[in-house]
Amino acid sequence: MAELIRLEKLRREFPSGEDTITVLKDLDLVIEAGEMVAIVGASGSGKSTLMNILGCLDRATAGSYRISGRETAMLEPDELAALRREHFGFIFQRYHLLGELDALANVEIPAIYAGMTPRDRRARAADLLDRLGMSDRTDHRPGQLSGGQQQRVSIARALMNGANVILADEPTGALDKHSGEEVLRILEELNAEGKTIIIVTHDMNVASRARRIIEISDGVIISDRANAPERPAPAPVATAAAEQTRRGGYLRSLADRFKEALRMAVLAMAAHRLRTFLTMLGIIIGIASVVSVVAIGQGTQQQVLANISNLGTNTLEIFAGRSFGDTRSARITTLVVADAEALARQSYVAAVTPTVSTSATLRVGSQEASALVNGVGEQYFAARGTKLAEGSFFDAASVRNRATDVVIDENTRKTLFADGASSPVGQVLLIGNVPARIVGVTQPQQGGFGSSQNLSVYLPYTTVQTRFLGTMSLRSITVRVADEVDTSLAEQDVTRFLTQRHGSQDFFILNTDDIRQTITSTTQMLTLLIAAIAVISLVVGGIGVMNIMLVSVSERVSEIGVRMAVGARQGDILQQFLIEAVLVCLIGGLCGIGAAFGIGQLVQALSSDFTLIYSTTSIVAACVCSTLIGVVFGFLPARNASRLDPVVALSRD
Ligand code: ADP
Ligand code: MG
């Protein structure tokens, strides 16, 4: 028979405080293919340690271990995993089945890591369970099976990848006599089929079933003898057909392992629903606040921009005084009609209108209301882009003649001509005690500045100056800059021009472009600032995810050990936990986006002043962001899991 396993001067030491203890002391051992070997010895003699090294779960401290002539000492963890996957099937005393999976799925696990197609995998697992008399229990979970049945499932798992060596560490240790006998019979049968069986036991009755008994004591082999089994080996059962495993392509196998990792992640999340939800909550709150803050910011910005768009794009508003609220501005009387007329002659000016204003009580019949009385030039409406609902604007002649022609706004029409029966145009309106003829009604201005609930009426500025104010100075001059001229250049020029005329700069200019830019940058700044605070809550959420993932890993150390024993690569384990973290974050992120929409609906239902604008960018960014959080904060726990020592992981219960 061919030599399968060769140990030379194999030594295994464990650190123990300052010292090291030597558990295996320079063992030499050769096992040939097809043997059935029992390793016996007292408890603590080093049987399991030897077994773990044979199964490539553990490494020797010194010496050589060759399997089929291949030295294992220098192999990488993933190469050892490949050996476990292809050559070894483990049977443990405590079965080590995964509690969340049914019998069939447990048996399938090694084949997932080996890359068998799902259909072949399922069929083969069902076959093996059938062969072990478990065909009616394939959908039972380990908790629903007796010890003997669980051990049979674990034997099926060991056979799944067509291992040629079965390593059984006290396989009957936890079983009653009958079940133990059953397991031994199966092992004998497998040996008869040509598999190499290595059983570790402290029970001489079990050992006597093997054809070779190796006894170790205190880490040295004290006897190695042939044994004639009490019963003749059963005739080989033809299972050769079942040995051939069909492998799919590399990509498909990768996708398959990904699917398995996904399924395990979902199972793990479902097993701890409340915990998962609480972990998610951090992400939900973080994402919801970031998305809503950005939406509110954008909504506000758009609203304000829509408001000032009523000012027209390229207008300059020249006021007396140094700035708004300048207490002297009322006394500064240097801004006069002549200024407006001079400005109108500049080449870059499209329209100019002086404005003055006062307030007065309007009366029509028994109706009374107070209103803002604007004295404006005939170009005012063109400069401001105001449109008429009916009638016409007054013209230059009205301004020259100080006519009492009045244009009223929509609010005034609604207040004073509420019946709507007759058109107000042509009717007489008493402004203070000045009767004026209504010539036109403006269209409502959508949310423009000063478009509140105030009533506004427009008269020629000459009329307001003489009949109401008794002064010739102006409140402001509105200049519409010609389309082809840059507004800020025009502003510079107007400043220079008026400063020259007045001898000093006793006015200030509002440039609508500036206002727009200021508002845009201010809201963007604010949005950024609040979003930054919300991002901090996301980071806190991410730390929560990391914390729970660490807990999840430490809870599932034994599962990780089992997966490693059946051949999972480090990458498979890493992937499984990373997927779990990403899934928690991504689902949290999606819930967060949903919550943000909910908040938007609520805000809009409660007050119409707010508009929330959800941009696709912010939603995509939220998804990407939560995935990233999962990857970043899940990485450390997942890497910890993938770097666990399989022996240490398996021994944890
Ligand atoms: P058994 O023959 O009962 O299976 P083991 O191989 O499990 O014995 O253990 C043999 C000896 O090695 C014991 O004394 C045990 O304490 C020690 N040992 C096993 N694993 C470790 C470890 N990871 N660290 C330190 N000592 C260990
Ligand atoms: Mg042991």
Side-chain angles (χ1 to χ4, degrees):
M1 267 193 244
E3 177 180 301
L4 182 70
I5 285 171
R6 174 176 284 272
L7 306 183
E8 276 166 9
K9 299 246 168 303
L10 188 103
R11 172 179 282 269
R12 180 67 169 110
E13 293 167 349
F14 289 108
S16 157
E18 304 272 286
D19 289 344
T20 55
I21 48 167
T22 309
V23 175
L24 297 178
K25 296 165 186 161
D26 300 331
L27 293 191
D28 291 310
L29 179 64
V30 175
I31 295 174
E32 294 183 340
E35 278 195 278
M36 180 154 179
V37 183
I39 298 173
V40 296
S43 178
S45 54
K47 306 184 297 292
S48 295
T49 306
L50 175 60
M51 192 68 130
N52 290 337
I53 291 177
L54 289 180
C56 296
L57 284 168
D58 194 12
R59 289 170 195 267
T61 315
S64 141
Y65 169 27
R66 284 168 200 279
I67 169 157
S68 304
R70 188 175 176 205
E71 178 57 57
T72 60
M74 309 307 285
L75 295 181
E76 295 291 320
D78 277 356
E79 292 174 305
L80 292 176
L83 280 179
R84 295 197 289 271
R85 213 157 50 227
E86 285 154 19
H87 292 287
F88 297 105
F90 290 91
I91 300 168
F92 302 98
Q93 179 175 359
R94 309 218 63 89
Y95 333 123
H96 278 312
L97 299 175
L98 302 191
E100 295 110 73
L101 301 179
D102 63 23
L104 193 73
N106 263 293
V107 176
E108 278 183 63
I109 297 172
I112 294 167
Y113 297 122
M116 205 188 290
T117 63
R119 204 154 45 101
D120 291 357
R121 196 165 82 200
R122 188 130 317 151
R124 181 166 162 81
D127 258 12
L128 285 168
L129 284 173
D130 187 33
R131 224 189 107 195
L132 297 175
M134 294 284 295
S135 53
D136 53 344
R137 295 277 192 281
T138 54
D139 55 349
H140 285 47
R141 302 249 176 120
Q144 301 164 317
L145 297 171
S146 73
Q149 287 169 330
Q150 289 189 61
Q151 196 59 297
R152 278 187 276 170
V153 174
S154 99
I155 294 174
R157 183 179 64 190
L159 295 173
M160 189 61 192
N161 280 349
N164 46 14
V165 186
I166 302 292
L167 302 172
D169 193 348
E170 309 269 9
T172 59
L175 299 179
D176 60 75
K177 199 162 181 311
H178 175 74
S179 303
E181 176 59 34
E182 190 77 0
V183 166
L184 285 173
R185 194 186 56 70
I186 294 168
L187 290 177
E188 278 169 345
E189 220 172 274
L190 291 170
N191 179 239
E193 287 164 20
K195 295 204 184 295
T196 309
I197 311 284
I198 303 175
I199 305 176
V200 159
T201 182
H202 62 270
D203 181 345
M204 279 318 286
N205 285 328
V206 173
S208 67
R209 305 288 285 270
R211 277 180 278 163
R212 179 178 170 191
I213 300 177
I214 298 168
E215 195 172 338
I216 61 176
S217 169
D218 252 344
V220 288
I221 296 176
I222 53 169
S223 88
D224 183 350
R225 60 195 151 88
N227 175 48
E230 283 156 20
R231 285 195 294 180
V237 187
T239 53
E243 300 302 87
Q244 53 155 317
T245 62
R246 194 143 31 94
R247 310 244 159 137
Y250 176 73
L251 273 184
R252 216 224 63 258
S253 137
L254 210 65
D256 215 39
R257 271 146 55 200
F258 179 83
K259 241 169 47 194
E260 162 72 5
L262 194 68
R263 186 166 64 123
M264 286 315 298
V266 171
L267 279 175
M269 284 164 64
H272 300 282
R273 279 191 211 93
L274 181 65
R275 193 168 85 187
T276 307
F277 171 73
L278 290 177
T279 312
M280 265 182 207
L281 206 55
I283 302 294
I284 295 176
I285 293 172
I287 291 284
S289 38
V290 172
V291 172
S292 355
V293 163
V294 171
I296 289 176
Q298 295 214 322
T300 313
Q301 186 178 323
Q302 297 249 334
Q303 208 169 20
V304 175
L305 287 181
N307 284 353
I308 62 172
S309 78
N310 287 316
L311 291 178
T313 44
N314 41 1
T315 54
L316 302 175
E317 191 101 21
I318 306 158
F319 293 90
R322 236 158 248 158
S323 63
F324 275 123
D326 186 339
T327 48
R328 291 166 311 145
S329 64
R331 282 180 277 128
I332 294 175
T333 54
T334 49
L335 202 61
V336 293
V337 179
D339 290 332
E341 282 164 357
L343 279 172
R345 285 193 292 274
Q346 304 299 310
S347 60
Y348 52 84
V349 171
V352 174
T353 170
T355 57
V356 292
S357 64
T358 183
S359 52
T361 306
L362 310 180
R363 261 190 296 272
V364 175
S366 59
Q367 299 282 354
E368 230 180 65
S370 59
L372 183 69
V373 178
N374 299 284
V376 298
E378 74 282 0
Q379 290 182 348
Y380 176 82
F381 304 102
R384 294 293 293 267
T386 309
K387 299 208 168 52
L388 283 181
E390 52 184 311
S392 61
F393 296 123
F394 45 78
D395 57 12
S398 306
V399 175
R400 230 179 5 257
N401 301 333
R402 297 169 191 174
T404 49
D405 291 342
V406 62
V407 174
I408 64 172
D409 71 349
E410 174 67 14
N411 284 341
T412 312
R413 190 187 67 76
K414 271 197 286 202
T415 312
L416 297 181
F417 303 93
D419 55 358
S422 56
S423 163
V425 176
Q427 297 197 38
V428 171
L429 176 67
L430 208 57
I431 307 173
N433 46 22
V434 180
R437 192 171 57 92
I438 297 173
V439 295
V441 182
T442 63
Q443 282 180 5
Q445 288 214 338
Q446 259 311 312
F449 278 147
S451 76
S452 49
Q453 308 311 312
N454 292 338
L455 312 187
S456 280
V457 298
Y458 303 89
L459 287 156
Y461 68 94
T462 47
T463 315
V464 177
Q465 280 175 333
T466 50
R467 308 286 290 266
F468 295 91
L469 294 171
T471 160
M472 296 312 276
S473 68
L474 301 174
R475 185 183 76 101
S476 69
I477 300 174
T478 304
V479 175
R480 182 176 186 126
V481 179
D483 283 342
E484 67 278 8
V485 179
D486 182 65
T487 318
S488 53
L489 280 183
E491 180 180 344
Q492 283 170 23
D493 212 79
V494 168
T495 310
R496 208 173 318 122
F497 180 76
L498 285 182
T499 310
Q500 230 166 37
R501 272 179 73 88
H502 294 182
S504 69
Q505 191 175 340
D506 53 2
F507 57 90
F508 67 97
I509 299 179
L510 279 188
N511 176 337
T512 49
D513 278 352
D514 283 355
I515 299 174
R516 183 173 296 116
Q517 272 166 23
T518 311
I519 289 170
T520 309
S521 64
T522 312
T523 49
Q524 273 171 355
M525 271 285 288
L526 273 177
T527 305
L528 216 63
L529 200 74
I530 306 175
I533 294 168
V535 165
I536 292 172
S537 78
L538 266 184
V539 172
V540 174
I543 292 171
V545 170
M546 174 145 74
N547 202 5
I548 287 301
M549 288 310 299
L550 285 170
V551 171
S552 176
V553 168
S554 69
E555 269 178 356
R556 279 147 66 193
V557 164
S558 138
E559 173 194 326
I560 296 166
V562 173
R563 289 182 180 276
M564 287 178 159
V566 300
R569 300 155 189 82
Q570 289 192 326
D572 292 323
I573 304 293
L574 183 88
Q575 175 175 275
Q576 179 182 338
F577 286 94
L578 214 49
I579 285 178
E580 189 175 328
V582 168
L583 216 56
V584 167
C585 291
L586 196 59
I587 294 175
L590 293 177
C591 292
I593 291 170
F597 275 104
I599 291 170
Q601 293 292 324
L602 203 70
V603 166
Q604 242 135 35
L606 293 180
S607 112
S608 55
D609 292 348
F610 272 110
T611 19
L612 284 83
I613 295 176
Y614 299 93
S615 67
T616 332
T617 327
S618 74
I619 287 164
V620 171
C623 290
V624 171
C625 188
S626 41
T627 308
L628 274 181
I629 289 172
V631 172
V632 169
F633 290 95
F635 183 74
L636 182 79
R639 202 192 52 169
N640 283 356
S642 73
R643 291 200 175 167
L644 281 173
D645 181 342
V647 178
V648 175
L650 272 173
S651 62
R652 196 92 64 87
D653 246 345

